[in-house]
Amino acid sequence: MKAKLASRVLSGDTIAAAKLISGIADEAPGAFEEMSHIYPHTGKAYIVGVTGSPGAGKSTLTSNLIGHFRKELMTIGVIAIDPTSAFTGGALLGDRIRMQQHGEDKDVFIRSLATRGLQGGLAKATIETIHIMDAMGKDIILVETVGSGQIEIDITRVADTTLFVMTPEAGDAIQMMKAGILEATDIFVINKADRGNADIIQTDLQTMLSMRHWLPDEWQPSIIFTEAIYDKGTAELALEISRHREHLTVTGEMQKRKKLRLRLELMETVEGLIKDSIAGIDHGKYLDKLIDELLKGKINPQAAAQQLVKRLASDLGRVNNNP
Ligand SMILES: Nc1nc2c(ncn2[C@@H]2O[C@H](COP(=O)(O)OP(=O)(O)OP(=O)(O)O)[C@@H](O)[C@H]2O)c(=O)[nH]1
Ligand SMILES: [Mg+2]
């Protein structure tokens, strides 16, 4: 494989990048070989996670941030993760329209990843898409997700700066506690401040934050007000992101986040490999046989799992002994 796509991606070709991203999501043969030429060019981009409840204004805010960073001549990648498109088919289009003002800008590259079809591999596909945009030379990569499921939380944990977008409407604060978002957030954005009552949610938030114990060097999440439809508060938010970035750099936390990201990627890859290998034992017949035994109550799930792992280990041992 000559890694034709990878070399085009490295020269900034967006069509090649889009093709490679689809190849990764579809696990197309050759895509991973192409990726091996991408990895050496990664590690420079700054990753910002934009999460929050549906309709909170994440896409509008992301679009504003793109505009702000473009004025500073930074190049931008955007990944919109869309868990709802499988059901409604609409949200994805909405995001495209909101961001389309940047569609003509060759220094802004926007891709959507739908959760449909990716199952457990979403975090991995997202990280690989980040690598591709990073290797293309994008300075900032914004990742928009609805912060409700575990996968989204994993992704926000590995961003360099995570924003959680809320609105003054009730319920947001409680939901956030449940989802464990409080620990994963670096900057809280209270959007739709034009609707009033923004101070109420700010007080709720401050109360919650004050209940946490902070280590001396630890970043304490800040609260920023925005009115995204009027592009208000964008500069303040961008400034806060750069303040957080500075904090990560001076405290060495940046390196820790990079390590976390690599760990997540490694574990997801191993998990995928193991699952694929198990499904492939005796061309799938071994798994089928075990499931039949489970169904008949001849074996319990714990014993079946142990049997699978043992069989896998012995198969792998045979592969290693007879190269
Ligand atoms: N009043 C008001 N409306 C806003 C503000 N920001 C965004 N909106 C509106 O809120 C709606 C949702 O905005 P989006 O940016 O699509 O929100 P989102 O969080 O990306 O939505 P999903 O991706 O569907 O979860 C749109 O109709 C926006 O115009 C704001 O500051 N004030
Ligand atoms: Mg959106």
Side-chain angles (χ1 to χ4, degrees):
M1 185 107 214
K2 281 196 220 78
K4 278 189 226 138
L5 271 185
S7 59
R8 281 169 56 199
V9 170
L10 294 174
S11 68
D13 181 339
T14 50
I15 294 171
K19 229 173 155 179
L20 185 53
I21 291 166
S22 309
I24 291 293
D26 300 341
E27 300 189 350
F32 294 101
E33 164 63 23
E34 296 279 356
M35 282 307 289
S36 68
H37 299 273
I38 295 290
Y39 293 118
H41 303 274
T42 60
K44 292 185 279 290
Y46 194 77
I47 298 143
V48 179
V50 184
T51 189
S53 26
K58 301 177 295 296
S59 298
T60 315
L61 213 59
T62 299
S63 184
N64 294 347
L65 284 173
I66 297 172
H68 181 92
F69 290 135
R70 286 299 297 131
K71 276 190 221 138
E72 296 182 350
L73 300 179
M74 286 193 254
T75 58
I76 314 291
V78 180
I79 306 171
I81 297 171
D82 177 51
T84 52
S85 68
F87 307 105
T88 66
L92 206 61
L93 186 65
D95 281 349
R96 286 248 174 87
I97 290 166
R98 261 180 275 292
M99 292 186 205
Q100 102 183 341
Q101 50 173 308
H102 304 288
E104 300 291 304
D105 185 342
K106 68 174 176 38
D107 289 314
V108 180
F109 181 50
I110 302 171
R111 287 306 288 176
S112 300
L113 288 180
T115 46
R116 180 182 39 181
L118 280 170
Q119 281 126 17
L122 181 65
K124 190 166 171 289
T126 307
I127 294 177
E128 265 154 344
T129 306
I130 289 173
H131 285 325
I132 292 169
M133 292 184 175
D134 188 358
M136 288 168 83
K138 300 299 173 216
D139 299 310
I140 307 261
I141 300 170
L142 296 149
V143 185
E144 180 189 331
T145 61
V146 175
S148 52
Q150 187 56 44
I151 293 161
E152 287 84 28
I153 291 174
D154 282 347
I155 293 162
T156 59
R157 279 198 207 289
V158 297
D160 294 309
T161 298
T162 295
L163 315 180
F164 188 79
V165 186
M166 315 165 81
T167 60
E169 272 101 57
D172 265 333
I174 294 129
Q175 181 204 331
M176 175 189 63
M177 286 293 280
K178 272 189 200 152
I181 287 286
L182 200 61
E183 289 75 18
T185 301
D186 302 302
I187 302 169
F188 288 96
V189 181
I190 303 178
N191 188 41
K192 306 195 186 182
D194 54 294
R195 289 195 176 168
N197 289 336
D199 50 332
I200 297 176
I201 194 143
Q202 182 194 25
T203 311
D204 283 357
L205 208 49
Q206 278 166 340
T207 310
M208 277 183 216
L209 290 171
S210 67
M211 288 192 280
R212 256 198 76 178
H213 176 72
W214 306 95
L215 299 170
D217 256 357
E218 205 176 348
W219 170 265
Q220 297 193 22
S222 36
I223 303 170
I224 301 284
F225 292 100
T226 57
E227 296 175 24
I229 33 163
Y230 308 116
D231 200 1
K232 272 195 191 166
T234 311
E236 289 79 358
L237 179 57
L239 185 69
E240 199 58 17
I241 294 171
S242 63
R243 227 170 57 80
H244 182 240
R245 184 176 188 167
E246 179 67 19
H247 173 90
L248 292 181
T249 312
V250 297
T251 55
E253 181 70 21
M254 187 91 89
Q255 211 53 26
K256 260 195 232 163
R257 295 204 179 196
K258 279 208 166 100
K259 258 177 107 167
L260 255 177
R261 195 149 55 225
L262 287 172
R263 186 192 171 88
L264 176 67
E265 185 174 14
L266 180 62
M267 295 315 279
E268 294 261 345
T269 309
V270 168
E271 197 177 300
L273 279 176
I274 291 180
K275 280 186 181 160
D276 285 351
S277 307
I278 286 175
I281 301 174
D282 296 344
H283 305 287
K285 287 197 193 105
Y286 187 77
L287 195 57
D288 284 345
K289 195 185 86 191
L290 271 181
I291 293 167
D292 279 343
E293 286 179 14
L294 277 169
L295 192 64
K296 289 176 191 151
K298 285 188 184 166
I299 194 168
N300 66 54
Q302 184 67 26
Q306 277 172 1
Q307 207 168 307
L308 268 178
V309 172
K310 249 189 216 158
R311 170 68 197 259
L312 185 65
S314 110
D315 279 10
L316 289 174
R318 267 205 299 278
V319 172
N320 287 340
N321 293 334
N322 308 304

